[in-house]
Amino acid sequence: MLVGAFALLDALRRRGGEAGLTELALACALPKGSAHRLLDQLGLLGAVERRGNRYAVGPQLFRLGQAWQPYPGLRAAARIPVHRLRASTGASVVLTVLRDELALTVASVPGRVEGVVPVRNGMSFPLDTAAGRVFTDGPRGPVLDREQIQEGVSCVAMPVRAPDGLTVASLAAVVPARQQLTQVAAATAAASAAIESRLTRMPPREVAARSALLRY
């Protein structure tokens, strides 16, 4: 039952947070009646909610998801720098961590290329993208992508390092291909440095929690 429930929740996630019963049952290879019962049970727990004839991610699932910390203090440290990077460059900005051989987005702000490359928390990027290459190449400076992955867009990514030098995240700015990357790279580097600076000021209880985390 748990496997089926999590499969339905993941199918909802992959469909933007909302889908119909038949669509979800087919996506999870579940009988329609079984999918309906599981969704009703998830609804009682607040994990999903009904919207007419469709199901959507519920508030309880959102609250649980917000409690997950990929690295202590990371999302809080990134909140202001990510928005400032968006404001200064117009970029769609994503902060990703390495999970299951993908760059998983844990914070995002849409920018000018939203219509071409939508960004959402929870979406993943392959490791051959600029965001992913931060984890595989171990760069000291910016990683550039000039329409290598998608025509019409370029990307600049920078590593975000913990106080001990460990790369804990990748900060990426996605812009129209016509935009000059020199200024975008400088702004992304400054935002990464701001996040790193904030991580050095983590409360002692968060510092102590580091030892229990998966190292990237």
Side-chain angles (χ1 to χ4, degrees):
M1 187 172 72
L2 280 175
V3 172
F6 273 92
L8 288 166
L9 292 172
D10 188 55
L12 272 175
R13 177 190 64 80
R14 287 184 278 108
R15 283 156 180 77
E18 184 174 322
L21 173 60
T22 301
E23 182 182 1
L24 291 170
L26 287 172
C28 300
L30 288 171
K32 195 171 179 178
S34 298
H36 186 267
R37 286 191 295 274
L38 285 171
L39 287 165
D40 279 350
Q41 292 170 9
L42 289 168
L44 291 174
L45 297 171
V48 301
E49 58 185 15
R50 287 286 296 271
R51 295 180 181 173
N53 294 324
R54 296 173 70 79
Y55 292 87
V57 171
Q60 180 63 6
L61 194 64
F62 174 79
R63 285 190 287 268
L64 290 172
Q66 292 301 299
W68 178 65
Q69 288 290 336
Y71 184 86
L74 177 62
R75 287 192 298 186
R79 188 174 298 120
I80 292 174
V82 160
H83 280 84
R84 285 179 175 168
L85 178 57
R86 162 65 177 89
S88 66
T89 63
S92 290
V93 182
V94 295
L95 182 75
T96 67
V97 298
L98 183 61
R99 278 292 186 275
D100 300 324
E101 299 301 315
L102 291 168
L104 172 66
T105 303
V106 295
S108 61
V109 182
R112 293 176 186 149
V113 297
E114 175 67 8
V116 181
V117 183
V119 297
R120 300 288 184 275
N121 292 354
M123 70 184 297
S124 297
F125 296 92
L127 295 185
D128 60 353
T129 60
R133 284 159 50 204
V134 163
F135 300 112
T136 59
D137 297 355
R140 302 305 302 180
V143 177
L144 306 182
D145 174 350
R146 301 178 187 272
E147 298 187 272
Q148 293 168 307
I149 301 300
Q150 184 163 338
E151 185 177 354
V153 297
S154 295
C155 181
V156 176
M158 282 288 299
V160 176
R161 293 186 171 87
D164 60 3
L166 191 70
T167 297
V168 295
S170 170
L171 179 65
V174 186
V175 297
R178 64 181 179 276
Q179 188 166 340
Q180 292 292 325
L181 293 188
T182 303
Q183 186 265 339
V184 178
T188 305
S192 174
I195 298 171
E196 292 175 348
S197 177
R198 285 166 168 78
L199 287 177
T200 65
R201 302 195 296 270
M202 286 190 302
R205 62 183 177 83
E206 293 188 336
V207 174
R210 281 189 234 173
S211 60
L213 291 172
L214 174 67
R215 294 310 211 184
Y216 301 122

